[in-house]
Amino acid sequence: MRTPQRCRDAAQRSIWVFYKVDNMISEIEKDFYRISLRMPYRLRHVNAYLFVYDKELLLFDTGLNVSGSYETLEKDLTNAGLNINNIKHVFLTHTHTDHCSMAGFLQKDTGAKIYLSNAASEDYEHTRQPDLTIKQVRKFYARHGMSGRQIDLIIEEYKYIQNIITEFNTDCYLHNHEVFEFGDWKFEVIFTPGHAAGHVCFFFREKGFLLAGDHILPFIAPILSPDIFDDSFYPLKTYLGSLDAIGELPISTIYPGHGNPFVDLNERIAEIQKHHQKRKNNVLDRVNSKPKTTYDISHEMITSSVSDFDKFLILNETLIYLKELKAEGVISEDTTNNVLVYTAI
Ligand SMILES: [Zn+2]
């Protein structure tokens, strides 16, 4: 048995659920596949992509490691006439659980080489140092006004994530604009920090394909979160810069980490830019002469009943907008009893 028998439903943090793993594999063009892997979260599926080179298979992201997912991937590949043991290269867009957590199994079972960016590797290494990370989580979120109980819930979630990411060694660190060639398959690494500091996309210039991971999605704006170890990281500014970077590429089709492939990249970029501007203005509207913590403001942003996990996501979102607003010089940040508070200027 590869994984725990139970998995945690991220949409409803207090419920442990059983579910059936049921993947789908489809051939996009000859020897190039999309594998849609089931997961128990609200997004329901995560996409991995795969192409065949000679007798070897190259996999882009691995899907989520929950009970049965490895075996289902194996079965899906067999049904498509492919053999999981031929996966010899695994390229990761980033090291969020749903994209990388089976990498260790693949490395162990098939001898696959693992490729990722340096910054993604640093993120991954934090999952191997739980005590250090938990200490930092407590310190970081307490400074943003969260109570001990609320922080305990985050830590519980973190422990779950840490538990399902299989251990692997990085074989190759990716560089921005580095080009890989496997026979007729040629693709370029595009650094796209923002959704995660170490996020990359893979651009198949001749074909106009972008394997986008979570950098751009067809139906939601990708989640942005702070780097609790690096205060110099500005998620929103960095993310918007990375959107501009892909907007300049001659991309015809985007193959996202979640949802269906889509076209009209620049239209989607404009929608996401607008979304963030609107949300940032909403945060600014709530900052006034009364000193408020990030938690206070995020609480005001919640207009309906949401799960604890969603509250946490809203807090992170509020936090990154406050960080931007402070950098823009329109709000001020002070410290009271080791907690950050914000007021309008
Ligand atoms: Zn992600």
Side-chain angles (χ1 to χ4, degrees):
M1 186 57 61
R2 292 186 178 283
T3 56
Q5 281 293 297
R6 298 182 296 184
C7 59
R8 189 88 189 275
D9 186 334
Q12 300 190 32
R13 310 311 317 165
S14 61
I15 298 172
W16 288 80
V17 295
F18 291 87
Y19 83 106
K20 185 175 170 287
V21 177
D22 181 22
N23 297 342
M24 292 175 286
I25 185 164
S26 51
E27 193 168 18
I28 294 166
E29 64 169 63
K30 190 178 178 325
D31 290 339
F32 180 50
Y33 297 84
R34 170 190 174 200
I35 308 167
S36 188
L37 301 124
R38 281 285 297 273
M39 55 179 199
Y41 300 157
R42 192 179 312 155
L43 289 173
R44 304 189 79 81
H45 291 90
V46 56
N47 298 321
Y49 297 90
L50 176 140
F51 69 74
V52 184
Y53 159 64
D54 199 4
K55 288 197 174 71
E56 294 187 348
L57 306 180
L58 282 83
L59 185 68
F60 296 83
D61 287 346
T62 71
L64 184 70
N65 169 31
V66 286
S67 183
S69 40
Y70 190 93
E71 290 76 7
T72 309
L73 174 64
E74 187 172 17
K75 205 170 110 204
D76 275 0
L77 292 174
T78 304
N79 290 341
L82 305 167
N83 185 337
I84 198 167
N85 293 318
N86 292 336
I87 295 178
K88 297 300 176 194
H89 306 270
V90 174
F91 287 83
L92 298 176
T93 57
H94 62 306
T95 48
H96 287 169
T97 328
D98 49 339
H99 294 259
C100 81
S101 54
M102 287 204 287
F105 288 151
L106 289 163
Q107 187 172 58
K108 187 166 168 281
D109 287 5
T110 73
K113 281 188 184 173
I114 310 290
Y115 302 69
L116 72 168
S117 72
N118 221 315
S121 175
E122 280 175 24
D123 269 354
Y124 164 75
E125 288 305 327
H126 288 139
T127 67
R128 310 318 318 165
Q129 300 171 295
D131 293 346
L132 176 76
T133 305
I134 286 169
K135 200 172 157 199
Q136 186 62 15
V137 165
R138 284 199 187 285
K139 193 174 148 198
F140 183 87
Y141 287 104
R143 268 176 77 71
H144 285 283
M146 288 184 85
S147 70
R149 190 196 71 83
Q150 289 156 343
I151 295 172
D152 284 344
L153 289 174
I154 300 169
I155 289 171
E156 199 188 323
E157 175 62 19
Y158 166 75
K159 284 179 178 167
Y160 162 70
I161 287 170
Q162 194 258 338
N163 192 37
I164 64 169
I165 296 183
T166 53
E167 198 168 346
F168 63 83
N169 295 312
T170 303
D171 294 289
C172 183
Y173 292 99
L174 301 172
H175 299 98
N176 200 14
H177 302 299
E178 183 176 7
V179 175
F180 287 86
E181 277 189 73
F182 292 85
D184 290 341
W185 297 99
K186 189 173 171 186
F187 59 91
E188 187 176 333
V189 176
I190 308 290
F191 276 21
T192 48
H195 170 71
H199 196 288
V200 306
C201 294
F202 299 101
F203 178 45
F204 292 66
R205 192 174 284 273
E206 275 102 20
K207 293 175 182 294
F209 293 174
L210 186 79
L211 304 190
D214 282 352
H215 182 47
I216 187 160
L217 301 173
F219 50 90
I220 56 161
I223 289 166
L224 301 181
S225 4
D227 184 334
I228 62 168
F229 288 97
D230 182 6
D231 200 41
S232 68
F233 178 58
Y234 281 76
L236 181 61
K237 189 176 166 204
T238 309
Y239 175 72
L240 295 176
S242 296
L243 275 189
D244 290 342
I246 61 163
E248 289 164 8
L249 298 173
I251 294 167
S252 56
T253 311
I254 298 100
Y255 290 97
H258 304 276
N260 290 325
F262 61 101
V263 294
D264 299 329
L265 173 65
N266 287 307
E267 195 180 304
R268 186 68 191 122
I269 287 176
E271 284 170 2
I272 293 176
Q273 287 166 334
K274 219 161 123 187
H275 162 87
H276 284 301
Q277 191 57 49
K278 194 174 159 199
R279 296 289 288 170
K280 189 169 76 168
N281 287 341
N282 284 345
V283 169
L284 181 60
D285 287 346
R286 285 165 173 79
V287 183
N288 49 37
S289 58
K290 183 187 165 196
K292 294 179 189 174
T293 66
T294 307
Y295 176 80
D296 294 335
I297 298 164
S298 73
H299 202 66
E300 290 179 27
M301 297 283 287
I302 298 167
T303 51
S304 57
S305 170
V306 294
S307 67
D308 286 333
F309 188 67
D310 281 336
K311 284 179 190 166
F312 175 57
L313 296 182
I314 293 168
L315 180 124
N316 275 337
E317 186 192 39
T318 305
L319 196 157
I320 63 128
Y321 293 137
L322 288 169
K323 198 173 166 79
E324 292 290 326
L325 291 165
K326 185 191 147 203
E328 290 168 15
V330 293
I331 63 169
S332 75
E333 179 187 87
D334 297 290
T335 307
T336 308
N337 298 326
N338 281 328
V339 177
L340 298 170
V341 290
Y342 298 89
T343 47
I345 288 178

